[in-house]
Amino acid sequence: MNKKSKNIYLIDGTSLCYRAFYAIQQLSTSKGMPTNAIYGFVNMFNKLIKDNQPDMLAVVFDLAAPTVRHEKYEEYKIHRKPTPEELIDQIPRIKELVKAYNVPVCELEGYEADDIIATLAEKAKKKGLDVTIVTSDKDALQLVDGKVKVLSPHTSGEKVYDADKVKEKYGVDPGGMVEFMALTGDTSDNIPGVKGIGKVTAAKLIKQYGTVDDIYTNLEEVSSKSVKRKLEQGREMAQLSRELVELDREVPIEFDFGEAELGEPNAERLEELFREFEFEKLLRQISPREAVEGKYSTVDAEKKVRELFSGISGKKRVSFSLLRGGEGGALHGLAASSREGESFFIPFSHNKGRVFGAVKEILEDETIQKIGYDLKEDLLILRQNGIKMRGMSFDVMLAEYLSEPSRPNYALRAMAERHLGYDLSRGEGKFDDTGQATLDLAGEAGSRLCCEQSDIIYRLFKILDPVLRKKKLNSLFNEVEMPLIKVLADMEQTGVAIDVEYLKQRSKALGKKLDELTSRIHELAGEKFNINSPKQLQVILYEKLSLPVIKRTKTGASTDEGVLRRLAKQHELPAELLEYRELNKLKTAYYDSILGLVDKKTHRLHARFNQAVTATGRLSSSEPNLQNIPIKTVMGKEIRRAFKPSRGKLLLAADYSQVELRILAHLSGDKNLIKAFSREEDVHRYTASLIFDCSASDVTGKMRAVAKTVNFGIVYGMSPFGLAKDLGIRLDEAERFIDSYFSRYSGVKKFIDSTISDAGEKGYVTTLLNRRRYIPEINSDNDRVRGFAERTAVNTPVQGSAADLIKLAMIETHKAFDGSGVNMLIQVHDELVFEVPDKDIEEVARQVKTFMEGVIDLKVPLVVDMEKGPNWFDMKEIEV
């Protein structure tokens, strides 16, 4: 019996980096460092090892230096897009990770990864090793033989090429792949080949004659005049292409095969890197966290429960965690902790009983401070079970969010690992993916995990409370974020009434219109096809209709909105497609989606309002996302007609006017901007008069529109290029507008420069209420990355302060109207929407306006525009 040969896997690291980068579009650390390529690479790398169990392994990379091929052919790979800056920044870190796995990294200036792989494959064969080359580059197929295979990673699964598979796909043996590519070329590397010679013809020529040299030696024997003519015209390119395609198997690189033996990784270094990259799942895999250890018990007698809570009452502070599950998420019990390492679980019987009554007393006692995780969710669950919790003092999720506002998630499990080194999933029961504080477990496993959570929450409080104080975030936490919990819970519980019949009628009408559009589109295309399939649409637009390709993506010619708008000038079909997409999105994403979320009995929509999501401090909403309801088109805005007040009430909308520009005036102290707002002038007309050097009365509508774009563009760090694109003007005109703006508003220019400078020194920026956002990329050597960071640094104090301001307004108005029949229903951007009894609408409007305009003192007046109406669409201004 023959002994199996050892194998070595040679990975084209550069190829794998590109695949990883495009497979995961967005991923970064809480400090803003991009990690999508790193994360994707590690996952593919680990999967490769797990699935294939190689004996030996090496990863080969390209270097940026020109190669021999570039010297032979200046246009070699010239069509390739420049490597994205975000990927360039990540490749050195990927190499660090490979080395931490104790796997050799191979690279040599002047040589491509393909050539190094070819050389290492030859050396490996001489040592009797079986070789698997991991790459998506078909150049490597020329190396396939009895000892060498190519593994090509694909989204649909790996494809392994041996000699038979190569011949099956390309019609030639691996030894003929150099000749094949010399004739057909390779568009990915801009290798020309022979123009007009396709795969079938190339395979036929190679089978009949052999090499490229043999083909040209026997050129007169080629029967097809057309093929002969193409070969004659492409002789020089065929020879050049062959030289470019053939891999160098004698690269002068030193390689120790002993170092390629796959062994144990450097766990300490990997843990260090995974921690830096915030790869919590990967961190658990290589460095298991400790299980939580504590003194946990179950208490189910009323007397004992009261004794325990009596002790807690003396301490005046308790952390807790809820256990719920089954139909309707019924509450099964609660775990509580008043000191580290101790927790007791209290099960609730189905009829709740006296034990439940004892717990209810404690939770409703305002003098006992409650510590929790996602207290808004707990508050709503407890209300459903007849408990009105009071005394909420510390939410560890919100504390972590304020401290590190750019983290991708704030799951309790992740926080336990990050701060305490504990693994909440190592208990006897299961644990959900998000690590939420509520469980769907029964019996001992559920009570144990519930106790662990209350214990962890208490320990996190002891860590995070000092962090907030050190960063001077405790005032923002205690005066804004914590009071907001009850406000948002009340909004979610109340919900907003929805006109279900209106939504159904509009959805039906849109469905009919979409059917008509579909028929029209198929008629213009000359055939039926799936309008929502980009691939089928590419065929119709670019192959059948021969429309020009404006932009390419990794999946082929683009069919995005911008491309269709340009193509609409040349053909009717793209215009119809744009209308179809708009209406289809309105129907599915809004009308049908909202219908699916409305409570079937009450016809009320209970959207969720989320505090710990955006890095700027803005609230977000989900189920549905109210922030995304269209407002730019009448048809889109008409969705708002479905939102209505309860019977006997009207909707009242209060919207801060130009709040971000007013905050900019305050922060910058710019005299002209302050003057415009203080005089209650039309700030866009005023800006136009300054940058166009004319009187306000001479400002035209077009001039005002330009000024409006500049005003808001400055807040968001718009460049001259961006302004030129938005206004459809020349770059020099855009530069002149911006220069003129800054010459008139010199205070704004100083504010921008000083904010960027301060951010560079501190690494973060703050809002009016001291909310922080960390921007480490501000000192990046990469111009594009640094430019984005600078725009973020300028925008965050403005947008973040607006977020703080609307939150203060929500707290003040909620406090004033709580229990009065005036309900806050919706918060979107700078707008609050209430339902108010008909008879009180004028008085409530006056009070809301007073509260919102006086919520904070600025150097310029805050102005709130008020509207009322029978629904959120048919609103009319109220003079207050």
Side-chain angles (χ1 to χ4, degrees):
M1 189 172 181
N2 292 330
K3 186 180 178 181
K4 184 183 176 183
S5 299
K6 275 191 172 184
N7 61 47
I8 183 169
Y9 276 63
L10 302 173
I11 299 175
D12 183 341
T14 306
S15 172
L16 211 62
C17 284
Y18 269 91
R19 288 194 63 79
F21 180 78
Y22 287 109
I24 302 173
Q25 290 300 309
Q26 287 185 330
L27 187 66
S28 60
T29 67
S30 58
K31 300 291 190 291
M33 178 176 75
T35 55
N36 58 324
I38 303 171
Y39 186 72
F41 185 96
V42 173
N43 279 323
M44 287 190 273
F45 185 77
N46 285 338
K47 185 177 186 299
L48 184 82
I49 293 173
K50 181 182 176 183
D51 292 352
N52 298 283
Q53 299 290 308
D55 300 309
M56 306 168 80
L57 195 62
V59 184
V60 186
F61 288 92
D62 288 324
L63 289 175
T67 66
V68 173
R69 291 183 180 84
H70 290 96
E71 293 171 8
K72 287 182 178 179
Y73 186 48
E74 286 184 7
E75 295 183 21
Y76 178 62
K77 292 189 177 181
I78 200 168
H79 286 170
R80 283 195 180 180
K81 292 180 179 178
T83 305
E85 296 288 352
E86 297 97 324
L87 177 55
I88 291 172
D89 291 342
Q90 292 179 71
I91 289 176
R93 309 312 307 274
I94 289 171
K95 292 177 184 177
E96 287 182 55
L97 274 168
V98 173
K99 291 173 184 175
Y101 275 98
N102 286 325
V103 170
V105 168
C106 304
E107 54 193 2
L108 187 64
E109 193 168 304
Y111 294 90
E112 292 185 58
D114 292 344
D115 296 312
I116 298 172
I117 287 172
T119 300
L120 295 181
E122 289 298 311
K123 290 184 177 185
K125 285 195 294 182
K126 289 175 183 176
K127 289 181 175 290
L129 299 172
D130 289 328
V131 181
T132 299
I133 298 167
V134 182
T135 183
S136 53
D137 196 332
K138 69 176 181 231
D139 287 3
L141 296 177
Q142 64 188 270
L143 303 173
V144 171
D145 58 24
K147 297 288 285 182
V148 179
K149 295 181 295 185
V150 169
L151 187 157
S152 180
H154 283 270
T155 51
S156 58
E158 296 172 345
K159 294 185 178 179
V160 179
Y161 289 93
D162 56 13
D164 290 339
K165 285 289 183 184
V166 172
K167 187 165 186 178
E168 180 185 318
K169 179 160 186 177
Y170 295 99
V172 297
D173 294 320
M177 281 302 295
V178 172
E179 321 301 328
F180 179 85
M181 293 176 70
L183 294 173
T184 60
D186 185 358
T187 54
S188 65
D189 287 344
N190 198 36
I191 292 173
V194 176
K195 190 175 182 180
I197 298 294
K199 295 177 181 179
V200 175
T201 303
K204 186 178 177 182
L205 289 168
I206 292 164
K207 184 178 180 181
Q208 187 172 355
Y209 298 108
T211 68
V212 167
D213 287 342
D214 291 336
I215 291 169
Y216 279 101
T217 299
N218 297 284
L219 189 58
E220 293 306 315
E221 295 180 19
V222 175
S223 57
S224 169
K225 292 182 180 179
S226 172
V227 171
K228 185 189 293 183
R229 185 180 71 255
K230 290 171 184 174
L231 288 168
E232 285 174 342
Q233 292 173 348
R235 183 190 295 263
E236 186 179 339
M237 283 299 153
Q239 295 294 347
L240 173 62
S241 298
R242 194 191 187 290
E243 291 176 28
L244 294 173
V245 167
E246 188 169 23
L247 298 179
D248 186 349
R249 305 185 190 205
E250 296 182 355
V251 173
I253 188 167
E254 297 295 324
F255 184 74
D256 185 344
F257 281 86
E259 291 183 359
E261 293 275 358
L262 194 60
E264 291 298 315
N266 183 340
E268 187 177 336
R269 179 59 178 149
L270 272 185
E271 182 175 350
E272 184 182 309
L273 289 168
F274 287 164
R275 197 174 297 283
E276 180 187 352
F277 301 144
E278 298 175 7
F279 295 162
E280 285 153 8
K281 184 177 178 182
L282 292 171
L283 196 56
R284 285 198 299 274
Q285 292 172 3
I286 62 116
S287 179
R289 307 289 89 194
E290 296 178 22
V292 186
E293 294 294 336
K295 184 181 176 183
Y296 305 144
S297 58
T298 297
V299 183
D300 55 7
E302 180 194 3
K303 183 178 178 182
K304 186 63 176 173
V305 169
R306 289 192 180 277
E307 285 176 8
L308 286 167
F309 273 130
S310 177
I312 287 176
S313 297
K315 294 183 178 66
K316 295 294 183 182
R317 181 179 288 149
V318 61
S319 66
F320 71 95
S321 176
L322 303 179
L323 179 66
R324 74 183 195 274
E327 190 174 346
L331 189 58
H332 292 306
L334 169 148
S337 301
S338 60
R339 66 176 64 180
E340 290 185 34
E342 291 185 13
S343 184
F344 55 89
F345 179 74
I346 305 167
F348 298 152
S349 61
H350 291 298
N351 62 4
K352 301 292 194 321
R354 292 180 178 178
V355 168
F356 180 83
V359 173
K360 185 175 187 291
E361 286 179 30
I362 292 294
L363 290 175
E364 292 185 345
D365 187 339
E366 184 118 31
T367 67
I368 298 174
Q369 297 178 26
K370 317 302 186 306
I371 301 165
Y373 170 89
D374 195 3
L375 283 170
K376 174 166 66 73
E377 186 70 13
D378 288 341
L379 180 63
L380 288 167
I381 293 163
L382 291 170
R383 283 180 180 178
Q384 290 168 13
N385 288 272
I387 298 175
K388 297 178 180 178
M389 180 168 59
R390 299 181 181 91
M392 295 180 294
S393 71
F394 201 95
D395 188 322
V396 295
M397 179 186 76
L398 294 181
E400 177 84 332
Y401 166 65
L402 275 191
S403 177
E404 296 283 354
S406 297
R407 285 199 179 279
N409 78 77
Y410 298 92
L412 182 62
R413 182 170 68 180
M415 290 171 63
E417 290 174 352
R418 201 155 47 233
H419 293 289
L420 301 166
Y422 289 149
D423 184 359
L424 278 168
S425 66
R426 287 186 63 190
E428 295 175 19
K430 62 184 178 181
F431 201 89
D432 67 26
D433 290 337
T434 60
Q436 293 301 312
T438 50
L439 304 167
D440 190 5
L441 297 168
E444 192 176 336
S447 62
R448 165 78 190 181
L449 276 174
C450 206
C451 284
E452 285 182 3
Q453 288 188 126
S454 68
D455 183 13
I456 287 293
I457 290 167
Y458 193 88
R459 299 185 200 213
L460 288 171
F461 158 69
K462 300 289 280 185
I463 291 170
L464 293 168
D465 187 41
V467 170
L468 293 181
R469 295 177 191 281
K470 184 179 179 181
K471 293 184 176 182
K472 298 180 180 178
L473 292 165
N474 47 311
S475 293
L476 178 64
F477 180 75
N478 292 317
E479 295 169 20
V480 179
E481 297 299 344
M482 286 302 299
L484 194 63
I485 291 172
K486 185 177 184 299
V487 179
L488 298 179
D490 286 353
M491 290 170 68
E492 290 186 17
Q493 186 174 2
T494 303
V496 58
I498 296 294
D499 187 336
V500 172
E501 286 307 310
Y502 171 76
L503 285 180
K504 287 180 178 177
Q505 290 170 12
R506 291 295 299 140
S507 179
K508 186 177 179 181
L510 283 172
K512 185 178 179 182
K513 177 65 176 174
L514 283 167
D515 288 342
E516 293 171 0
L517 274 171
T518 299
S519 299
R520 173 67 175 150
I521 287 167
H522 288 162
E523 181 185 334
L524 288 169
E527 64 179 85
K528 290 185 177 181
F529 68 100
N530 182 354
I531 298 171
N532 298 311
S533 166
K535 286 192 174 297
Q536 291 186 34
L537 189 54
Q538 285 169 1
V539 172
I540 296 295
L541 293 176
Y542 303 116
E543 293 182 22
K544 187 166 185 180
L545 299 180
S546 300
L547 292 172
V549 175
I550 292 170
K551 184 172 74 174
R552 289 189 177 276
T553 67
K554 60 180 180 178
T555 58
S558 174
T559 59
D560 68 18
E561 182 181 336
V563 167
L564 292 181
R565 290 199 182 284
R566 291 175 64 179
L567 292 177
K569 297 174 182 177
Q570 303 180 40
H571 197 280
E572 284 182 82
L573 180 59
E576 300 289 343
L577 287 167
L578 284 167
E579 185 177 1
Y580 175 90
R581 285 185 182 178
E582 181 186 358
L583 297 187
N584 191 48
K585 183 177 180 179
L586 284 175
K587 183 179 188 303
T588 58
Y590 298 108
Y591 287 99
D592 294 349
S593 175
I594 292 171
L595 277 169
L597 292 167
V598 170
D599 186 294
K600 299 297 185 288
K601 293 179 181 177
T602 65
H603 286 181
R604 294 187 81 85
L605 178 70
H606 300 273
R608 297 175 66 89
F609 294 92
N610 312 302
Q611 278 174 274
V613 174
T614 69
T616 60
R618 287 269 189 191
L619 290 172
S620 73
S621 65
S622 53
E623 300 177 41
N625 183 354
L626 299 172
Q627 317 278 359
N628 278 355
I629 290 179
I631 57 171
K632 291 186 177 179
T633 64
V634 173
M635 189 175 288
K637 198 173 180 181
E638 280 182 341
I639 295 166
R640 292 185 170 213
R641 189 169 273 137
F643 292 74
K644 63 180 186 177
S646 301
R647 184 175 296 176
K649 295 184 178 183
L650 289 171
L651 288 187
L652 175 71
D655 190 1
Y656 277 114
S657 171
Q658 299 172 336
V659 66
E660 291 187 359
L661 287 178
R662 293 172 190 273
I663 288 170
L664 177 63
H666 174 83
L667 292 173
S668 67
D670 185 273
K671 293 178 181 178
N672 279 329
L673 206 49
I674 290 172
K675 185 191 298 181
F677 282 121
S678 297
R679 292 178 177 177
E680 297 185 6
E681 294 193 35
D682 177 338
V683 73
H684 301 314
R685 183 172 294 278
Y686 181 78
T687 298
S689 71
L690 293 180
I691 64 175
F692 288 102
D693 196 19
C694 64
S695 67
S697 59
D698 291 332
V699 171
T700 64
K702 186 176 180 181
M703 291 159 69
R704 185 185 181 278
V706 168
K708 182 177 180 180
T709 303
V710 176
N711 271 332
F712 287 114
I714 293 298
V715 176
Y716 289 91
M718 183 182 283
S719 65
F721 179 80
L723 182 63
K725 185 178 178 183
D726 272 15
L727 295 177
I729 59 176
R730 297 194 316 273
L731 183 61
D732 61 330
E733 285 184 275
E735 288 172 342
R736 191 169 68 250
F737 283 142
I738 290 178
D739 289 344
S740 181
Y741 179 95
F742 283 135
S743 70
R744 302 313 196 273
Y745 293 128
S746 58
V748 174
K749 176 63 174 168
K750 287 176 184 175
F751 163 73
I752 290 172
D753 292 342
S754 65
T755 300
I756 291 170
S757 176
D758 287 349
E761 290 179 18
K762 296 177 182 177
Y764 64 87
V765 291
T766 58
T767 67
L768 283 171
L769 297 189
N770 206 40
R771 185 183 300 277
R772 287 191 184 190
R773 183 174 184 179
Y774 293 93
I775 312 175
E777 315 94 320
I778 196 103
N779 293 315
S780 171
D781 292 331
N782 183 306
D783 290 344
R784 193 199 60 78
V785 172
R786 188 176 63 257
F788 179 79
E790 289 175 353
R791 291 192 292 275
T792 301
V794 173
N795 171 247
T796 296
V798 176
Q799 193 179 93
S801 293
D804 292 342
L805 197 146
I806 196 78
K807 286 179 176 179
L808 284 176
M810 293 173 75
I811 294 164
E812 289 300 312
T813 52
H814 180 271
K815 192 188 303 178
F817 298 112
D818 193 15
S820 68
V822 174
N823 297 315
M824 191 186 307
L825 305 178
I826 297 169
Q827 186 275 324
V828 176
H829 307 304
D830 304 314
E831 179 182 10
L832 296 178
V833 180
F834 306 81
E835 59 175 13
V836 182
D838 291 10
K839 62 184 177 57
D840 300 326
I841 192 75
E842 302 295 335
E843 175 58 21
V844 170
R846 184 188 63 76
Q847 291 182 59
V848 168
K849 184 176 176 68
T850 300
F851 286 132
M852 291 180 69
E853 292 182 347
V855 80
I856 196 170
D857 287 329
L858 299 180
K859 295 171 185 174
V860 297
L862 285 170
V863 174
V864 175
D865 296 327
M866 308 297 297
E867 292 183 323
K868 66 176 180 179
N871 59 64
W872 199 15
F873 179 80
D874 297 306
M875 303 288 281
K876 293 183 179 179
E877 189 176 343
I878 306 177
E879 291 293 337
V880 179

